[in-house]
Amino acid sequence: MSCVTIIFLSAFTEPWRTISWGDKDRDLNYVQDYKPSKGSVKHLRVLLYGPVGAGKSSFINSVSSILRGRMAIPAAVSAYETHTIEREDGDPDGFYPLVLSDIMGLEDGTNKGVCTEDIKLTMMGHVMDKYLFNSTSPLLSGCAGYEKDPSANDICHILVCVISANSAETKPSVLQKMKTVREAARDLGIPQVCILTHIDEACGITESNLKDVYHSKYIKRKVKMSSSVGFPMNCIFPVKNYNEETKLNDDIDTLILDALRYIINFGDDFIKKL
Ligand SMILES: Nc1nc2c(ncn2[C@@H]2O[C@H](COP(=O)(O)OP(=O)(O)OP(=O)(O)O)[C@@H](O)[C@H]2O)c(=O)[nH]1
Ligand SMILES: [Mg+2]
């Protein structure tokens, strides 16, 4: 089978979702100008979780690079870590009112990776910044690192599940942990979206041109699979994170900013209700 035939068989002629390429400044300005709609909330807090190695830290790093207009130094995380993003535009506020909280990944089996109980506590704002997660025992009330009285700035305003489009099937025990987290967020009324990373490695179409992401049958299948575990299709965003690049790229930025715009809108809806 020729290369052209393979691409024809694995691609839709019409995109299954539309996105405006070459218009990244519009989304960038939207994100850069964002202010929480409630004055008492200093920043919108985004909490990322997902299987180990899915690209949580890389996503935070990519967002930081895009907003600052230059590559940021990758963050190594084993603790609960809140990332602020410094403004480069001389704004007296100094930082964007957007913080991204990173946690260690979910792993197969018990006593490995972050405990779902700790993710729930993090969502509720009970985990202090820099707290080092313990895979074998969740944080207990009264212990060091436990915030007794979280404010509206400490709680998570939007939960982002990060999954790789290029990994083998997620293990049932990890899926179960993800479900537990999703249900806890649902009970707390926290909005949720899903980011599908590694699309540059997942299929030939997106490997050769990111702009064809919404023509790819494979990516659509992956999005559908994620929707079958509980995310509405329109809350799942395929992206490519910065990993080996030394310069910013408009197509990478467009996909990430599109996702970020939704993250901000959904998160701000939650802030309005606080
Ligand atoms: N090609 C490609 N590589 C990626 C992408 N996202 C992340 N990576 C790479 O995948 C590896 C894991 O990414 P991390 O960002 O460390 O993943 P993580 O979810 O933070 O992992 P843990 O903190 O260990 O749970 C790193 O080598 C990244 O450079 C992507 O979209 N495309
Ligand atoms: Mg990480």
Side-chain angles (χ1 to χ4, degrees):
M1 221 185 299
S2 77
C3 191
V4 176
T5 318
I6 291 170
I7 288 179
F8 175 74
L9 288 175
S10 46
F12 294 108
T13 37
E14 290 301 319
W16 46 275
R17 187 184 289 172
T18 52
I19 182 165
S20 172
W21 298 101
D23 204 9
K24 97 166 198 201
D25 286 346
R26 189 202 51 184
D27 280 352
L28 183 60
N29 291 340
Y30 183 85
V31 173
Q32 286 179 327
D33 293 345
Y34 167 72
K35 297 249 171 357
S37 56
K38 227 180 191 172
S40 54
V41 176
K42 278 199 308 219
H43 48 236
L44 180 125
R45 184 180 289 273
V46 182
L47 175 65
L48 294 103
Y49 78 104
V52 69
K56 300 174 289 296
S57 307
S58 303
F59 182 74
I60 293 176
N61 202 49
S62 301
V63 168
S64 177
S65 300
I66 296 169
L67 292 194
R68 300 184 71 186
R70 61 186 175 84
M71 301 308 284
I73 295 169
V77 172
S78 57
Y80 171 53
E81 192 137 6
T82 291
H83 297 267
T84 50
I85 306 171
E86 212 171 322
R87 301 188 82 108
E88 301 275 314
D89 55 7
D91 187 289
D93 289 346
F95 292 91
Y96 288 102
L98 175 75
V99 302
L100 297 132
S101 301
D102 199 2
I103 47 179
M104 74 197 290
L106 291 165
E107 287 192 55
D108 184 27
T110 41
N111 298 340
K112 278 198 200 150
V114 64
C115 312
T116 52
E117 207 44 50
D118 277 339
I119 304 185
K120 288 190 217 170
L121 290 174
T122 311
M123 276 190 253
M124 294 189 275
H126 286 300
V127 178
M128 286 182 188
D129 200 28
K130 305 274 190 265
Y131 171 72
L132 206 58
F133 291 109
N134 181 341
S135 303
T136 53
S137 71
L139 178 59
L140 297 173
S141 166
C143 291
Y146 188 91
E147 172 61 66
K148 230 174 39 214
D149 191 15
S151 76
N153 291 302
D154 299 320
I155 60 170
C156 153
H157 305 127
I158 176 134
L159 185 70
V160 176
C161 175
V162 181
I163 307 176
S164 168
N166 190 35
S167 57
E169 300 264 301
T170 312
K171 297 256 171 42
S173 76
V174 176
L175 282 174
Q176 182 53 47
K177 289 178 184 179
M178 287 162 64
K179 184 163 176 266
T180 307
V181 173
R182 249 192 344 269
E183 287 173 354
R186 187 200 55 202
D187 293 346
L188 292 165
I190 298 171
Q192 308 180 44
V193 303
C194 175
I195 298 284
L196 207 55
T197 58
H198 287 83
I199 59 165
D200 54 307
E201 298 175 332
C203 87
I205 291 180
T206 36
E207 199 179 318
S208 52
N209 190 355
L210 280 183
K211 281 199 178 89
D212 288 331
V213 56
Y214 294 123
H215 287 274
S216 162
K217 289 186 181 174
Y218 177 84
I219 300 292
K220 183 166 188 193
R221 237 184 355 258
K222 280 279 171 181
V223 168
K224 270 206 166 139
M225 269 163 60
S226 308
S227 79
S228 69
V229 299
F231 296 101
M233 283 271 285
N234 59 359
C235 290
I236 304 168
F237 300 91
V239 302
K240 181 222 174 319
N241 285 324
Y242 281 106
N243 64 319
E244 53 185 23
E245 297 75 7
T246 53
K247 288 200 181 90
L248 293 174
N249 169 291
D250 278 354
D251 296 342
I252 297 178
D253 293 1
T254 299
L255 287 173
I256 291 180
L257 285 167
D258 188 51
L260 200 54
R261 200 184 163 109
Y262 280 88
I263 289 172
I264 286 178
N265 286 342
F266 293 146
D268 200 69
D269 284 344
F270 181 74
I271 287 178
K272 281 191 195 110
K273 288 190 252 155
L274 285 175

